[in-house]
Amino acid sequence: MSPSRKNLIALLTDFGPRGQHYVASMKGTILSINLDCRILDISHNLTSYSIIEGAYLLSTTYQYFPRGTIFVVVVDPGVGSTREIVALKTKSEFYFVGPDNGVFTPILEGEELEKCIRVENVKYFKEPISNTFHGRDIMAPVGAHLSKGVSLAKFGPAVAPKDLTTHSLTLEIKSETKEITCCVQFVDSFGNITTNVALDSSYSFGDFTHIRGTNILLKEGSSVEMIKDNQEYSAPIVSHFAEASKGTLVALRGSNNFLEFSLNQGNAAEYLGLTVGDVFNIQLSE
Amino acid sequence: MSPSRKNLIALLTDFGPRGQHYVASMKGTILSINLDCRILDISHNLTSYSIIEGAYLLSTTYQYFPRGTIFVVVVDPGVGSTREIVALKTKSEFYFVGPDNGVFTPILEGEELEKCIRVENVKYFKEPISNTFHGRDIMAPVGAHLSKGVSLAKFGPAVAPKDLTTHSLTLEIKSETKEITCCVQFVDSFGNITTNVALDSSYSFGDFTHIRGTNILLKEGSSVEMIKDNQEYSAPIVSHFAEASKGTLVALRGSNNFLEFSLNQGNAAEYLGLTVGDVFNIQLSE
Amino acid sequence: MSPSRKNLIALLTDFGPRGQHYVASMKGTILSINLDCRILDISHNLTSYSIIEGAYLLSTTYQYFPRGTIFVVVVDPGVGSTREIVALKTKSEFYFVGPDNGVFTPILEGEELEKCIRVENVKYFKEPISNTFHGRDIMAPVGAHLSKGVSLAKFGPAVAPKDLTTHSLTLEIKSETKEITCCVQFVDSFGNITTNVALDSSYSFGDFTHIRGTNILLKEGSSVEMIKDNQEYSAPIVSHFAEASKGTLVALRGSNNFLEFSLNQGNAAEYLGLTVGDVFNIQLSE
């Protein structure tokens, strides 16, 4: 028999390379509750405590998974404090378990919720509950019980989605002057910088695209200007890395449909001195 | 049918981020012997050659896994030398395969063994056997054959547990003066320092705990003093990170019930200049 | 029922620690097509864009996996350009999907192909297809459909193996003088340097071996001389790390049967200032 779609649990944490064993103890805990579970990793290497980055990685990844997948998210700088733990089910049939600290912001913005509860029922926790690792003692067991078919309502009282914590990212777009103030959502291993400027995702063969919700066109051949630390940069808009010569800064539509900056075969983030959360201004050429 | 509990193999190595493919060749070897096996990672990022750290990670993780799990441990600075390879089964039904170099010390201290053998039977090895990678050529295949139900006795002769290699960590506790000499067992990605001072694990809501086996109380509100490089540090005892303001050094009970030092949203290990194996003195306040 | 051998997909990418979520979106894509698939990681931490290293890791790992395993390789500096994507099946029943950029060179040299096609049929892609992430949108779905039993011919037209891109590594061996010009194929987390000097793989208890295809003997007790930056180094030939004292540079047969240089419990690559792709000269002692 094919494994049930509810048997997939995907983990996202900020435990880092030195914290693999924390992930392992979560996986062991899950398998001790539901041995049929299959567990995948979204990432464990995001910037420590970065809710912005956690939200970005989750929101650009979950939709590639089968419906029914349960996402357990442990980016939890407030562990042990009064922050709540929540569990959500979207109408599109994805499940999310994690701290109510804003990490689910893009899910709440992009999906309709079928149900949302506050996790409170200690019956589904793994006791004794530590003060510093609710990922292992609360969130992993809740995810595992969910995967066994326990309904969301069993874990705690309903919460109105509007009462959940959200965060907002700086984004100002002046359509007339084509000036944009935006921020860095993510920097990958290659140093590619992902902004929060969403682009139209229609299939366009890469030669042009709109900034989502505007009439501003990004067209191959034109360029994006940027000032950083009194240095001016100009990045031609290209459709893929290979188009630029080695060492050239380029702007392009990233694989998640946000405006990205890349240094072909180099590290754009180091080159520009930008890191996650940084706000900066760009200007599209006429 | 539910997968058998003997089908779980968990791997712990020091191969590092650049050695993922070594892990992969172990996994391929296991699956070539038992395609039904499920393989999980404890960690592959521990400090190279660090038996102390390997022992710590193993001992704080294995009990979260289902009974029957087989742990294959490749922290093996002596590979190719005369060090033996052993396989253990605990009365609690966990299996361990790895070099006899002390990495199983806390297992031997904390569990009763049902059986313990020296791995010698080349019939269960993958030939040709390299001189530098017994993880792939001996330990992985032995783990895989174990998962298929081959009994421990088939792999080699029995060994008395007392003849296994163990190591001991510096730990001196003076109950009257509350002075403690201890060492660093682990530093995680956040820079949290885990000592070898074991705390009472009873569920205490975090507000107080004893140092295990003593009458020394750790109470929220009191503090731990430390001298390092002629600099004096005072760390208030808290029950969770969020209680301390950003950048404050705190002492707390870690999620594995050892005394830990943390710098809230900072890196305590860098701040104090401490690394795995370092011995240092602390003094509890009256 | 035992899982089918065609259900195993192994991934090799250069996405790095900060790109785990890219791997996750490939895995989600695969499971959305074939939920029964089992997915393993070869490595995701190879040097960015390094086709040499990707080829090395693939060629030294794949043969440990069960027949029928499908290897999806995303080391793809030319993504979005005119480079082709290919899929191969070897007579030994391994499958490979990836860019035609030389990363399959050692497979083409070491295996006979049963079939080789150019991936073109968009029916098996995941639309919309980004310009920067064919791993997720083309290679992962093709691997997943292969695992469901779709035959290679469905994905595109046949290609002659001789028309595939290959690369060659510097290797000159002068048998009379025992001088060798070779290059670095890989450096692992320990700093061990793997050259491209292949050694005879017969089981020899480590005390001697031949350089493959020559009559040059590497014998324990003799040594390898090297000049680097006007500094001369002499590395005794040993059969395993533990034989050398701490901090000694040694030459030995690595676990993949290439000549390796190691600094016992140290980092040979840093010590010698060598990195992947570097060409250097060695001289075997008489």
Side-chain angles (χ1 to χ4, degrees):
Chain A
M1 198 191 70
S2 171
S4 153
R5 273 152 199 273
K6 272 284 266 318
N7 269 342
L8 276 183
I9 293 185
L11 305 179
L12 174 62
T13 80
D14 61 353
F15 298 161
R18 298 278 299 162
Q20 275 195 325
H21 62 294
Y22 296 132
V23 177
S25 61
M26 287 179 63
K27 291 181 180 175
T29 300
I30 289 168
L31 292 172
S32 293
I33 293 167
N34 182 4
L35 195 57
D36 293 319
C37 227
R38 297 173 65 193
I39 310 173
L40 284 110
D41 304 295
I42 301 293
S43 180
H44 303 293
N45 294 329
L46 58 90
T47 306
S48 299
Y49 315 115
S50 178
I51 291 165
I52 292 179
E53 204 175 299
Y56 171 74
L57 294 186
L58 181 64
S59 66
T60 54
T61 309
Y62 78 94
Q63 75 272 23
Y64 293 101
F65 281 78
R67 309 274 145 161
T69 300
I70 297 159
F71 295 86
V72 175
V73 179
V74 192
V75 186
D76 196 12
V79 62
S81 72
T82 55
R83 69 94 186 83
E84 310 281 0
I85 295 172
V86 292
L88 328 174
K89 183 185 179 185
T90 66
K91 289 202 171 155
S92 53
E93 272 182 88
F94 292 111
Y95 296 79
F96 298 90
V97 179
D100 178 30
N101 60 15
V103 77
F104 296 128
T105 302
I107 306 299
L108 297 170
E109 288 171 351
E111 295 275 353
E112 277 187 87
L113 295 195
E114 187 179 303
K115 197 158 185 77
C116 174
I117 61 100
R118 194 164 63 227
V119 172
E120 282 189 353
N121 190 346
V122 295
K123 180 182 155 190
Y124 297 107
F125 299 176
K126 177 163 173 46
E127 307 220 37
I129 298 156
S130 69
N131 286 304
T132 52
F133 195 2
H134 289 180
R136 179 192 66 197
D137 300 333
I138 301 180
M139 302 176 212
V142 165
H145 285 292
L146 262 178
S147 77
K148 286 182 85 170
V150 174
S151 72
L152 269 182
K154 299 275 190 183
F155 296 99
V159 178
K162 68 170 180 42
D163 291 338
L164 294 181
T165 304
T166 55
H167 63 73
S168 66
L169 300 176
T170 302
L171 182 64
E172 289 167 32
I173 302 177
K174 295 183 186 156
S175 288
E176 322 76 52
T177 58
K178 298 187 179 175
E179 282 176 280
I180 300 175
T181 303
C182 60
C183 74
V184 178
Q185 286 200 90
F186 186 68
V187 174
D188 72 12
S189 303
F190 299 84
N192 297 321
I193 296 166
T194 302
T195 70
N196 61 337
V197 179
L199 305 180
D200 190 40
S201 66
S202 67
Y203 186 47
S204 67
F205 299 101
D207 48 6
F208 70 88
T209 183
H210 282 89
I211 292 183
R212 199 180 296 164
T214 76
N215 60 358
I216 303 179
L217 196 68
L218 264 72
K219 204 172 159 51
E220 236 184 301
S222 62
S223 65
V224 180
E225 314 298 323
M226 188 190 311
I227 292 181
K228 177 86 201 340
D229 300 333
N230 298 316
Q231 187 88 31
E232 202 169 322
Y233 300 92
S234 178
I237 297 171
V238 300
S239 68
H240 51 78
F241 305 131
E243 221 171 279
S245 54
K246 198 169 166 172
T248 307
L249 183 73
V250 295
L252 73 171
R253 179 167 71 183
S255 56
N256 293 314
N257 293 309
F258 288 101
L259 180 65
E260 288 191 9
F261 292 94
S262 294
L263 200 63
N264 192 30
Q265 304 205 19
N267 189 309
E270 283 179 13
Y271 180 68
L272 295 171
L274 285 173
T275 188
V276 171
D278 285 357
V279 174
F280 63 105
N281 296 299
I282 57 179
Q283 163 79 58
L284 271 70
S285 65
E286 300 298 314
Chain B
M1 198 191 69
S2 171
S4 153
R5 273 152 199 273
K6 272 284 266 318
N7 269 343
L8 276 183
I9 293 185
L11 305 179
L12 174 62
T13 80
D14 62 352
F15 298 161
R18 297 279 299 163
Q20 275 195 324
H21 62 293
Y22 296 131
V23 177
S25 62
M26 288 179 64
K27 292 181 180 176
T29 300
I30 289 168
L31 292 173
S32 293
I33 293 168
N34 182 4
L35 195 57
D36 293 319
C37 227
R38 296 173 65 193
I39 310 172
L40 284 110
D41 304 295
I42 301 293
S43 179
H44 303 293
N45 294 329
L46 58 90
T47 306
S48 299
Y49 315 116
S50 178
I51 291 165
I52 292 178
E53 204 175 299
Y56 171 74
L57 294 187
L58 181 64
S59 66
T60 55
T61 309
Y62 79 94
Q63 75 272 24
Y64 293 101
F65 281 79
R67 309 274 144 159
T69 300
I70 297 159
F71 295 86
V72 175
V73 179
V74 192
V75 186
D76 196 11
V79 62
S81 72
T82 55
R83 69 94 186 82
E84 310 282 359
I85 295 172
V86 292
L88 327 174
K89 182 184 179 185
T90 66
K91 289 202 172 154
S92 53
E93 273 182 86
F94 292 111
Y95 296 79
F96 298 90
V97 179
D100 178 29
N101 60 15
V103 77
F104 296 128
T105 302
I107 305 299
L108 297 170
E109 288 171 351
E111 296 274 353
E112 276 187 88
L113 295 196
E114 187 179 303
K115 196 159 185 77
C116 174
I117 61 100
R118 195 164 62 228
V119 172
E120 283 189 352
N121 190 344
V122 295
K123 179 182 156 190
Y124 297 107
F125 299 176
K126 176 163 174 46
E127 307 220 37
I129 298 156
S130 69
N131 286 304
T132 52
F133 195 3
H134 289 181
R136 180 192 64 198
D137 300 333
I138 302 181
M139 302 175 211
V142 164
H145 285 291
L146 262 177
S147 77
K148 286 181 84 170
V150 174
S151 72
L152 269 182
K154 298 275 191 184
F155 296 100
V159 178
K162 69 170 179 43
D163 291 338
L164 294 181
T165 304
T166 55
H167 63 73
S168 66
L169 300 176
T170 301
L171 182 64
E172 289 167 32
I173 302 176
K174 295 183 186 157
S175 288
E176 322 76 52
T177 58
K178 298 187 178 174
E179 283 176 280
I180 300 174
T181 303
C182 60
C183 74
V184 179
Q185 287 200 90
F186 185 68
V187 174
D188 72 12
S189 303
F190 299 84
N192 297 321
I193 296 166
T194 302
T195 70
N196 61 338
V197 179
L199 305 180
D200 190 40
S201 66
S202 67
Y203 186 47
S204 67
F205 300 101
D207 48 6
F208 71 88
T209 183
H210 281 89
I211 292 184
R212 198 179 297 164
T214 76
N215 60 358
I216 303 179
L217 196 68
L218 265 72
K219 204 172 159 52
E220 236 184 301
S222 62
S223 66
V224 180
E225 315 298 322
M226 188 190 312
I227 292 181
K228 177 87 201 339
D229 300 333
N230 298 316
Q231 187 89 30
E232 201 169 323
Y233 300 92
S234 177
I237 297 171
V238 300
S239 69
H240 51 78
F241 305 131
E243 221 171 278
S245 54
K246 198 169 166 171
T248 307
L249 183 73
V250 295
L252 73 172
R253 179 167 72 183
S255 57
N256 293 314
N257 293 309
F258 288 102
L259 180 65
E260 287 191 9
F261 292 95
S262 295
L263 201 63
N264 192 30
Q265 303 205 19
N267 189 309
E270 283 179 12
Y271 180 68
L272 295 171
L274 285 173
T275 188
V276 171
D278 285 357
V279 173
F280 63 105
N281 296 300
I282 57 179
Q283 163 79 58
L284 271 69
S285 65
E286 300 297 314
Chain C
M1 198 191 70
S2 171
S4 153
R5 273 153 200 274
K6 272 285 266 318
N7 268 343
L8 276 183
I9 293 185
L11 305 179
L12 175 62
T13 80
D14 62 352
F15 298 161
R18 297 279 299 163
Q20 276 195 323
H21 62 294
Y22 296 131
V23 177
S25 62
M26 288 179 64
K27 291 181 180 176
T29 299
I30 289 169
L31 292 173
S32 294
I33 293 167
N34 182 4
L35 195 57
D36 293 319
C37 227
R38 296 173 65 193
I39 310 173
L40 284 110
D41 304 295
I42 301 294
S43 180
H44 303 293
N45 294 329
L46 58 89
T47 306
S48 299
Y49 315 115
S50 178
I51 291 165
I52 292 179
E53 205 175 299
Y56 171 74
L57 294 187
L58 182 65
S59 66
T60 55
T61 309
Y62 78 95
Q63 75 272 24
Y64 293 101
F65 281 78
R67 309 274 145 160
T69 300
I70 297 159
F71 296 86
V72 175
V73 179
V74 192
V75 186
D76 196 11
V79 62
S81 72
T82 55
R83 69 93 186 82
E84 310 282 359
I85 295 172
V86 292
L88 327 174
K89 183 185 179 184
T90 65
K91 289 201 173 156
S92 53
E93 272 182 86
F94 292 111
Y95 296 80
F96 298 90
V97 179
D100 178 30
N101 60 14
V103 77
F104 296 128
T105 302
I107 305 299
L108 297 170
E109 288 171 351
E111 295 275 353
E112 277 188 88
L113 295 196
E114 187 180 303
K115 197 159 184 77
C116 174
I117 61 100
R118 194 164 63 228
V119 172
E120 283 190 351
N121 190 345
V122 294
K123 180 182 155 189
Y124 297 107
F125 300 176
K126 176 164 173 46
E127 307 221 36
I129 298 156
S130 69
N131 286 304
T132 52
F133 195 2
H134 289 181
R136 180 192 65 197
D137 300 333
I138 302 181
M139 302 176 212
V142 164
H145 285 292
L146 262 178
S147 77
K148 287 181 84 170
V150 174
S151 72
L152 268 182
K154 299 274 190 183
F155 296 99
V159 178
K162 68 169 180 45
D163 291 338
L164 294 181
T165 304
T166 55
H167 63 73
S168 66
L169 300 176
T170 302
L171 182 64
E172 289 167 32
I173 302 176
K174 295 183 186 156
S175 288
E176 322 77 51
T177 58
K178 298 188 180 175
E179 283 177 280
I180 300 175
T181 303
C182 60
C183 74
V184 178
Q185 286 200 90
F186 185 68
V187 174
D188 72 13
S189 303
F190 299 84
N192 296 321
I193 296 166
T194 303
T195 70
N196 61 337
V197 179
L199 305 180
D200 190 40
S201 66
S202 68
Y203 186 46
S204 67
F205 299 100
D207 48 7
F208 70 88
T209 183
H210 281 90
I211 292 183
R212 199 180 296 164
T214 75
N215 60 358
I216 303 179
L217 197 67
L218 264 72
K219 204 172 160 50
E220 236 184 302
S222 62
S223 66
V224 180
E225 314 298 323
M226 188 190 312
I227 292 181
K228 176 87 201 340
D229 300 333
N230 298 317
Q231 187 89 30
E232 202 169 323
Y233 300 92
S234 177
I237 297 171
V238 300
S239 69
H240 51 78
F241 305 132
E243 222 171 278
S245 55
K246 197 168 166 172
T248 308
L249 184 73
V250 295
L252 73 172
R253 179 167 71 182
S255 57
N256 293 315
N257 294 309
F258 288 101
L259 180 65
E260 288 191 9
F261 292 95
S262 294
L263 200 63
N264 192 30
Q265 304 205 19
N267 189 308
E270 283 179 13
Y271 180 67
L272 295 171
L274 285 173
T275 188
V276 171
D278 285 357
V279 174
F280 63 105
N281 295 299
I282 57 179
Q283 163 79 59
L284 271 68
S285 65
E286 300 298 313

